[in-house]
Amino acid sequence: MRALATAAERRGALILRGGASDAEGMPPYLPFLEALGPHLQSSGERELAEEVGPNGAILGTIFPQLGVKLDDLSPGYPLPLDQARLRLFEAVASLLASIAGQGPLVLVLDDLHWADAASLDLLCAVARY
């Protein structure tokens, strides 16, 4: 996996890396938080606003740095749990698609055998997108 990521990076791909952990108390979606968090943190406000699009409030539920970097996040409205989860999955998939629209993207998620059910559900949703 490292060799693939290194080769892709040499060819100009953006590599986003995250992984699951067997440690207690890890948050849901940890592989995605680790992969996308640093990218969101290092992106400029304009670039970030374009990547996030209208999903800022939804993504802000798991990426609090968005609220700090983007002032105009409109607050969401309460949804039933299943619908909120679906919206979050769609928003993460859309964010990844937006990032990939700017150039090659490789998402490296390691140690998925330790991933929580929510992370695996999100991975399945993103893979179908």
Side-chain angles (χ1 to χ4, degrees), residues 38-112:
H39 174 77
L40 297 176
Q41 191 64 38
S42 67
S43 294
E45 186 177 329
R46 185 172 161 191
E47 176 188 9
L48 189 58
E50 289 175 12
E51 289 176 350
V52 168
N55 297 317
I58 297 166
L59 291 167
T61 62
I62 62 170
F63 296 107
Q65 64 267 47
L66 288 177
V68 173
K69 293 191 83 167
L70 300 176
D71 295 330
D72 60 347
L73 290 184
S74 57
Y77 50 91
L79 294 170
L81 186 57
D82 288 342
Q83 193 173 21
R85 189 172 147 157
L86 174 65
R87 298 275 183 240
L88 176 63
F89 289 5
E90 290 173 342
V92 171
S94 178
L95 173 62
L96 287 167
S98 179
I99 295 169
Q102 299 170 33
L105 170 66
V106 176
L107 180 62
V108 177
L109 302 177
D110 201 7
D111 294 325
L112 290 177

Coordinates of all heavy atoms in Angstrom, one line a residue, residues 38-112:
P38 N -6.4 16.5 8.1 CA -5.3 17.4 7.8 C -5.5 18.1 6.4 O -5.0 19.3 6.3 CB -4.1 16.4 7.7 CG -4.5 15.2 8.5 CD -6.0 15.2 8.4
H39 N -6.1 17.5 5.5 CA -6.4 18.2 4.2 C -7.3 19.4 4.5 O -7.0 20.5 3.9 CB -7.0 17.3 3.2 CG -7.5 17.9 1.9 ND1 -6.6 18.3 1.0 CD2 -8.7 18.4 1.5 CE1 -7.2 18.9 0.0 NE2 -8.5 19.0 0.3
L40 N -8.4 19.2 5.2 CA -9.3 20.3 5.5 C -8.6 21.4 6.3 O -8.8 22.6 6.0 CB -10.5 19.8 6.3 CG -11.4 18.8 5.6 CD1 -12.5 18.3 6.5 CD2 -12.0 19.4 4.3
Q41 N -7.7 21.0 7.2 CA -7.0 22.0 8.0 C -6.0 22.8 7.2 O -5.8 24.0 7.4 CB -6.2 21.3 9.1 CG -5.7 22.2 10.2 CD -6.8 23.0 11.0 OE1 -7.8 22.4 11.2 NE2 -6.5 24.2 11.3
S42 N -5.4 22.2 6.2 CA -4.3 22.9 5.4 C -4.9 23.6 4.2 O -4.2 24.4 3.6 CB -3.3 21.9 5.0 OG -3.8 21.0 4.0
S43 N -6.1 23.4 3.9 CA -6.7 24.1 2.7 C -7.0 25.5 3.0 O -7.4 25.8 4.1 CB -8.0 23.4 2.3 OG -7.7 22.1 1.8
G44 N -6.9 26.3 2.0 CA -7.3 27.7 2.2 C -8.8 27.9 2.2 O -9.5 27.0 1.8
E45 N -9.2 29.0 2.7 CA -10.7 29.2 2.9 C -11.5 29.1 1.6 O -12.5 28.4 1.6 CB -10.9 30.6 3.6 CG -12.4 30.8 4.0 CD -12.6 32.1 4.7 OE1 -11.6 32.6 5.4 OE2 -13.7 32.7 4.5
R46 N -11.0 29.7 0.6 CA -11.7 29.7 -0.7 C -11.7 28.2 -1.3 O -12.8 27.8 -1.7 CB -11.0 30.6 -1.7 CG -11.7 30.7 -3.0 CD -11.0 31.8 -3.8 NE -11.4 31.7 -5.2 CZ -10.8 32.3 -6.1 NH1 -9.8 33.2 -5.9 NH2 -11.2 32.1 -7.4
E47 N -10.6 27.6 -1.3 CA -10.5 26.2 -1.8 C -11.4 25.3 -0.9 O -12.2 24.5 -1.5 CB -9.1 25.7 -1.7 CG -8.9 24.2 -2.1 CD -7.5 23.7 -1.8 OE1 -6.7 24.4 -1.2 OE2 -7.2 22.6 -2.2
L48 N -11.4 25.5 0.4 CA -12.2 24.7 1.3 C -13.7 24.9 1.0 O -14.5 24.0 1.0 CB -11.9 25.0 2.7 CG -12.4 24.1 3.8 CD1 -12.0 22.7 3.6 CD2 -12.0 24.6 5.2
A49 N -14.1 26.1 0.8 CA -15.5 26.4 0.6 C -16.0 25.8 -0.7 O -17.1 25.3 -0.8 CB -15.7 28.0 0.5
E50 N -15.1 25.8 -1.7 CA -15.5 25.1 -3.0 C -15.6 23.6 -2.8 O -16.5 23.0 -3.4 CB -14.4 25.4 -4.1 CG -14.5 26.9 -4.5 CD -13.4 27.2 -5.5 OE1 -12.7 26.3 -6.0 OE2 -13.2 28.4 -5.8
E51 N -14.6 23.0 -2.1 CA -14.7 21.5 -1.9 C -15.9 21.1 -1.1 O -16.5 20.1 -1.4 CB -13.4 21.1 -1.2 CG -12.2 21.2 -2.1 CD -10.9 20.8 -1.3 OE1 -10.9 20.6 -0.1 OE2 -9.9 20.6 -2.0
V52 N -16.2 21.8 0.0 CA -17.3 21.5 0.9 C -18.6 21.8 0.2 O -19.6 21.0 0.4 CB -17.1 22.3 2.2 CG1 -18.3 22.2 3.1 CG2 -15.9 21.7 2.9
G53 N -18.7 22.9 -0.5 CA -20.0 23.2 -1.2 C -21.1 23.5 -0.2 O -20.8 24.0 0.9
P54 N -22.3 23.0 -0.5 CA -23.4 23.3 0.4 C -23.4 22.3 1.6 O -24.4 22.4 2.4 CB -24.6 23.0 -0.5 CG -24.1 22.0 -1.5 CD -22.7 22.4 -1.7
N55 N -22.4 21.4 1.8 CA -22.5 20.4 2.8 C -21.7 20.8 4.1 O -21.4 20.0 4.9 CB -21.9 19.1 2.3 CG -22.7 18.5 1.2 OD1 -24.0 18.6 1.3 ND2 -22.1 18.1 0.1
G56 N -21.3 22.1 4.2 CA -20.5 22.5 5.3 C -21.1 22.2 6.7 O -20.4 21.7 7.6
A57 N -22.3 22.5 6.9 CA -23.0 22.2 8.2 C -23.0 20.7 8.5 O -22.7 20.3 9.6 CB -24.4 22.8 8.3
I58 N -23.3 19.9 7.5 CA -23.3 18.4 7.7 C -21.9 17.9 8.0 O -21.7 17.2 9.0 CB -23.8 17.7 6.4 CG1 -25.3 18.2 6.2 CG2 -23.7 16.2 6.5 CD1 -25.8 17.8 4.8
L59 N -20.9 18.3 7.2 CA -19.5 17.9 7.5 C -19.0 18.4 8.8 O -18.1 17.8 9.4 CB -18.6 18.3 6.3 CG -18.9 17.6 5.0 CD1 -18.2 18.3 3.8 CD2 -18.5 16.1 5.1
G60 N -19.5 19.6 9.2 CA -19.0 20.2 10.4 C -19.4 19.4 11.7 O -18.8 19.5 12.7
T61 N -20.3 18.4 11.5 CA -20.7 17.6 12.6 C -19.5 16.6 13.0 O -19.4 16.2 14.2 CB -21.9 16.8 12.4 OG1 -21.7 15.9 11.3 CG2 -23.1 17.7 12.1
I62 N -18.7 16.3 12.1 CA -17.5 15.4 12.4 C -16.2 16.1 12.1 O -15.2 15.6 12.6 CB -17.6 14.1 11.6 CG1 -17.5 14.2 10.1 CG2 -18.8 13.2 12.0 CD1 -17.3 12.9 9.3
F63 N -16.2 17.2 11.4 CA -15.0 18.0 11.2 C -15.2 19.4 11.8 O -15.5 20.3 11.0 CB -14.6 18.1 9.7 CG -14.3 16.8 9.1 CD1 -15.3 16.2 8.2 CD2 -13.1 16.1 9.3 CE1 -15.0 15.0 7.6 CE2 -12.8 14.9 8.7 CZ -13.8 14.3 7.8
P64 N -15.0 19.6 13.1 CA -15.3 20.9 13.7 C -14.4 22.0 13.2 O -14.8 23.2 13.3 CB -15.0 20.7 15.2 CG -14.3 19.4 15.3 CD -14.5 18.6 14.0
Q65 N -13.2 21.7 12.6 CA -12.4 22.7 12.0 C -13.1 23.5 10.9 O -12.7 24.6 10.6 CB -11.0 22.2 11.6 CG -11.1 21.2 10.4 CD -11.1 19.8 10.9 OE1 -11.9 19.4 11.8 NE2 -10.3 18.9 10.3
L66 N -14.1 22.9 10.3 CA -14.8 23.7 9.2 C -15.5 24.9 9.8 O -15.5 25.9 9.1 CB -15.8 22.7 8.6 CG -15.3 21.7 7.7 CD1 -16.4 20.8 7.1 CD2 -14.4 22.2 6.5
G67 N -16.0 24.8 11.0 CA -16.7 25.9 11.6 C -15.8 27.1 11.9 O -16.2 28.2 11.9
V68 N -14.5 26.7 12.1 CA -13.5 27.7 12.4 C -13.0 28.4 11.1 O -12.9 29.6 11.1 CB -12.3 27.1 13.2 CG1 -11.2 28.1 13.3 CG2 -12.8 26.6 14.5
K69 N -12.9 27.6 10.1 CA -12.3 28.1 8.8 C -13.3 28.7 7.9 O -13.0 29.6 7.2 CB -11.6 27.0 8.1 CG -10.3 26.5 8.8 CD -9.5 25.6 8.0 CE -8.6 26.5 7.1 NZ -7.6 25.8 6.5
L70 N -14.6 28.3 8.0 CA -15.6 28.8 7.2 C -16.7 29.5 8.0 O -17.4 28.8 8.8 CB -16.3 27.7 6.3 CG -15.4 26.9 5.4 CD1 -16.1 25.8 4.7 CD2 -14.8 27.8 4.4
D71 N -16.7 30.8 7.9 CA -17.6 31.5 8.8 C -19.1 31.4 8.4 O -20.0 31.5 9.3 CB -17.3 33.0 8.7 CG -15.9 33.3 9.3 OD1 -15.5 32.6 10.2 OD2 -15.3 34.3 8.8
D72 N -19.4 31.1 7.2 CA -20.8 31.1 6.8 C -21.5 29.8 6.7 O -22.3 29.5 5.9 CB -20.9 31.8 5.4 CG -20.1 31.0 4.3 OD1 -19.3 30.2 4.7 OD2 -20.3 31.3 3.1
L73 N -21.1 28.9 7.7 CA -21.8 27.6 7.8 C -23.2 27.8 8.3 O -23.3 28.2 9.5 CB -21.0 26.6 8.6 CG -19.7 26.1 8.1 CD1 -19.1 25.0 9.1 CD2 -19.8 25.5 6.8
S74 N -24.2 27.5 7.5 CA -25.5 27.7 8.0 C -25.8 26.5 8.9 O -25.5 25.4 8.6 CB -26.5 27.8 6.9 OG -26.4 26.7 6.0
P75 N -26.5 26.7 10.0 CA -26.8 25.6 10.9 C -27.8 24.7 10.3 O -28.7 25.1 9.5 CB -27.4 26.3 12.2 CG -27.8 27.6 11.7 CD -27.0 28.0 10.5
G76 N -27.6 23.4 10.5 CA -28.5 22.4 9.9 C -29.7 22.4 10.7 O -29.9 23.1 11.7
Y77 N -30.6 21.5 10.3 CA -31.9 21.3 11.1 C -31.9 19.9 11.5 O -31.3 19.0 10.9 CB -33.1 21.7 10.2 CG -33.1 21.1 8.8 CD1 -33.7 19.8 8.6 CD2 -32.5 21.7 7.8 CE1 -33.7 19.3 7.4 CE2 -32.5 21.1 6.5 CZ -33.1 19.9 6.3 OH -33.1 19.3 5.1
P78 N -32.6 19.6 12.6 CA -32.6 18.3 13.1 C -33.2 17.3 12.2 O -34.3 17.6 11.6 CB -33.3 18.4 14.4 CG -33.9 19.7 14.5 CD -33.3 20.5 13.4
L79 N -32.6 16.1 12.0 CA -33.1 15.0 11.2 C -33.2 13.8 12.0 O -32.4 13.6 13.0 CB -32.2 14.8 10.0 CG -32.0 15.9 8.9 CD1 -30.9 15.6 8.0 CD2 -33.3 16.1 8.2
P80 N -34.0 12.8 11.6 CA -34.0 11.5 12.2 C -32.6 10.9 12.1 O -31.9 11.2 11.1 CB -35.0 10.7 11.5 CG -35.9 11.7 10.9 CD -35.1 13.0 10.6
L81 N -32.1 10.1 13.0 CA -30.8 9.6 13.0 C -30.4 8.9 11.7 O -29.3 9.2 11.2 CB -30.6 8.6 14.2 CG -29.2 8.1 14.4 CD1 -28.2 9.2 14.6 CD2 -29.2 7.2 15.6
D82 N -31.2 8.1 11.2 CA -30.9 7.4 9.9 C -30.7 8.4 8.8 O -29.8 8.2 7.9 CB -31.9 6.3 9.6 CG -31.9 5.1 10.5 OD1 -30.8 4.9 11.1 OD2 -32.8 4.4 10.5
Q83 N -31.6 9.4 8.7 CA -31.5 10.4 7.6 C -30.2 11.2 7.8 O -29.6 11.6 6.8 CB -32.7 11.2 7.6 CG -32.9 12.0 6.3 CD -34.2 12.7 6.2 OE1 -34.9 12.9 7.2 NE2 -34.5 13.1 5.0
A84 N -29.9 11.6 9.0 CA -28.7 12.4 9.3 C -27.5 11.6 8.9 O -26.5 12.2 8.3 CB -28.6 12.8 10.7
R85 N -27.5 10.4 9.2 CA -26.3 9.5 8.8 C -26.2 9.4 7.3 O -25.1 9.5 6.7 CB -26.5 8.1 9.4 CG -25.4 7.2 9.3 CD -25.6 6.0 10.1 NE -25.0 4.9 9.4 CZ -24.7 3.8 10.1 NH1 -24.9 3.6 11.3 NH2 -24.1 2.8 9.4
L86 N -27.3 9.2 6.6 CA -27.3 9.2 5.1 C -26.8 10.5 4.5 O -25.9 10.5 3.6 CB -28.7 8.9 4.6 CG -28.8 9.0 3.1 CD1 -28.0 7.9 2.4 CD2 -30.3 8.9 2.7
R87 N -27.2 11.6 5.1 CA -26.7 12.9 4.6 C -25.2 13.1 4.8 O -24.5 13.6 4.0 CB -27.5 14.1 5.3 CG -28.9 14.1 5.0 CD -29.2 14.8 3.8 NE -30.7 14.9 3.6 CZ -31.3 14.4 2.6 NH1 -30.6 13.8 1.6 NH2 -32.6 14.4 2.5
L88 N -24.7 12.6 6.0 CA -23.3 12.7 6.3 C -22.5 11.8 5.3 O -21.5 12.3 4.7 CB -23.0 12.2 7.7 CG -21.5 12.1 8.1 CD1 -20.9 13.5 8.0 CD2 -21.4 11.5 9.4
F89 N -23.0 10.6 5.0 CA -22.3 9.8 4.0 C -22.3 10.4 2.7 O -21.2 10.4 2.0 CB -23.0 8.4 4.0 CG -22.8 7.5 5.2 CD1 -22.1 8.0 6.3 CD2 -23.3 6.2 5.2 CE1 -22.0 7.2 7.4 CE2 -23.1 5.4 6.3 CZ -22.5 5.9 7.4
E90 N -23.4 11.0 2.2 CA -23.4 11.7 0.9 C -22.5 12.9 0.9 O -21.8 13.1 -0.1 CB -24.8 12.1 0.6 CG -25.8 11.0 0.3 CD -27.2 11.5 0.2 OE1 -27.6 12.6 0.7 OE2 -28.0 10.7 -0.4
A91 N -22.4 13.6 2.0 CA -21.5 14.8 2.1 C -20.0 14.4 2.1 O -19.2 15.0 1.4 CB -21.8 15.6 3.4
V92 N -19.7 13.3 2.8 CA -18.3 12.9 2.7 C -17.9 12.4 1.3 O -16.9 12.7 0.8 CB -18.0 11.8 3.8 CG1 -16.6 11.1 3.6 CG2 -18.1 12.3 5.2
A93 N -18.8 11.6 0.7 CA -18.6 11.1 -0.7 C -18.5 12.3 -1.6 O -17.6 12.3 -2.5 CB -19.7 10.2 -1.1
S94 N -19.3 13.3 -1.5 CA -19.3 14.5 -2.3 C -17.9 15.3 -2.1 O -17.3 15.8 -3.1 CB -20.5 15.4 -2.0 OG -20.4 16.6 -2.8
L95 N -17.5 15.4 -0.9 CA -16.2 16.0 -0.6 C -15.1 15.3 -1.3 O -14.2 16.0 -1.9 CB -16.0 16.1 0.9 CG -14.7 16.6 1.4 CD1 -14.4 18.1 1.0 CD2 -14.5 16.5 2.9
L96 N -15.0 14.0 -1.1 CA -14.0 13.2 -1.8 C -14.0 13.4 -3.3 O -13.0 13.6 -4.0 CB -14.1 11.8 -1.4 CG -13.6 11.4 0.0 CD1 -14.0 10.0 0.4 CD2 -12.1 11.6 0.1
A97 N -15.2 13.4 -3.9 CA -15.4 13.6 -5.3 C -14.9 15.0 -5.7 O -14.3 15.2 -6.8 CB -16.8 13.4 -5.7
S98 N -15.2 16.0 -4.9 CA -14.8 17.4 -5.2 C -13.2 17.5 -5.2 O -12.6 18.1 -6.0 CB -15.4 18.3 -4.2 OG -15.0 19.6 -4.4
I99 N -12.6 16.8 -4.2 CA -11.2 16.8 -4.1 C -10.6 16.1 -5.3 O -9.6 16.6 -5.9 CB -10.7 16.2 -2.8 CG1 -11.1 17.1 -1.6 CG2 -9.2 16.0 -2.7 CD1 -11.0 16.4 -0.2
A100 N -11.1 15.0 -5.6 CA -10.6 14.2 -6.8 C -10.9 14.9 -8.1 O -10.1 14.7 -9.0 CB -11.3 12.8 -6.8
G101 N -11.8 15.8 -8.1 CA -12.1 16.6 -9.4 C -11.0 17.6 -9.7 O -10.9 18.1 -10.8
Q102 N -10.1 17.8 -8.7 CA -9.0 18.8 -8.9 C -7.8 18.1 -9.4 O -6.8 18.7 -9.7 CB -8.7 19.5 -7.6 CG -9.9 20.3 -7.1 CD -9.7 20.8 -5.7 OE1 -8.6 21.1 -5.3 NE2 -10.8 20.9 -4.9
G103 N -7.7 16.8 -9.3 CA -6.5 16.0 -9.7 C -6.6 14.6 -9.1 O -7.5 14.3 -8.3
P104 N -5.7 13.8 -9.4 CA -5.7 12.4 -8.9 C -5.7 12.4 -7.4 O -5.0 13.2 -6.8 CB -4.4 11.8 -9.5 CG -4.0 12.7 -10.6 CD -4.5 14.1 -10.3
L105 N -6.5 11.5 -6.9 CA -6.6 11.3 -5.4 C -6.5 9.8 -5.1 O -7.1 9.0 -5.7 CB -7.9 11.9 -4.9 CG -8.3 11.6 -3.5 CD1 -7.4 12.3 -2.5 CD2 -9.8 12.0 -3.2
V106 N -5.7 9.5 -4.0 CA -5.6 8.2 -3.5 C -6.0 8.3 -2.0 O -5.4 9.0 -1.3 CB -4.2 7.6 -3.7 CG1 -4.1 6.2 -3.0 CG2 -3.8 7.5 -5.2
L107 N -7.0 7.5 -1.7 CA -7.4 7.4 -0.3 C -6.9 6.1 0.3 O -7.3 5.1 -0.1 CB -8.9 7.5 -0.2 CG -9.6 7.4 1.2 CD1 -9.2 8.6 2.0 CD2 -11.1 7.3 1.0
V108 N -6.0 6.3 1.3 CA -5.4 5.1 1.9 C -5.9 4.9 3.3 O -5.7 5.8 4.1 CB -3.8 5.2 2.0 CG1 -3.2 4.1 2.7 CG2 -3.2 5.4 0.6
L109 N -6.7 3.9 3.5 CA -7.3 3.6 4.8 C -6.7 2.3 5.3 O -6.9 1.2 4.7 CB -8.8 3.5 4.7 CG -9.5 4.7 4.1 CD1 -11.0 4.5 4.0 CD2 -9.2 6.0 5.0
D110 N -5.9 2.4 6.4 CA -5.2 1.2 6.9 C -5.9 0.6 8.1 O -6.7 1.3 8.8 CB -3.8 1.7 7.3 CG -2.8 0.6 7.3 OD1 -3.1 -0.5 7.0 OD2 -1.6 0.9 7.8
D111 N -5.6 -0.6 8.4 CA -6.0 -1.4 9.6 C -7.6 -1.4 9.7 O -8.1 -1.3 10.8 CB -5.4 -0.8 10.8 CG -3.9 -1.0 10.9 OD1 -3.5 -2.1 10.4 OD2 -3.2 -0.1 11.4
L112 N -8.2 -1.6 8.5 CA -9.7 -1.6 8.6 C -10.3 -2.8 9.3 O -11.5 -2.8 9.6 CB -10.2 -1.5 7.1 CG -10.0 -0.2 6.4 CD1 -10.6 -0.2 5.0 CD2 -10.7 1.0 7.2

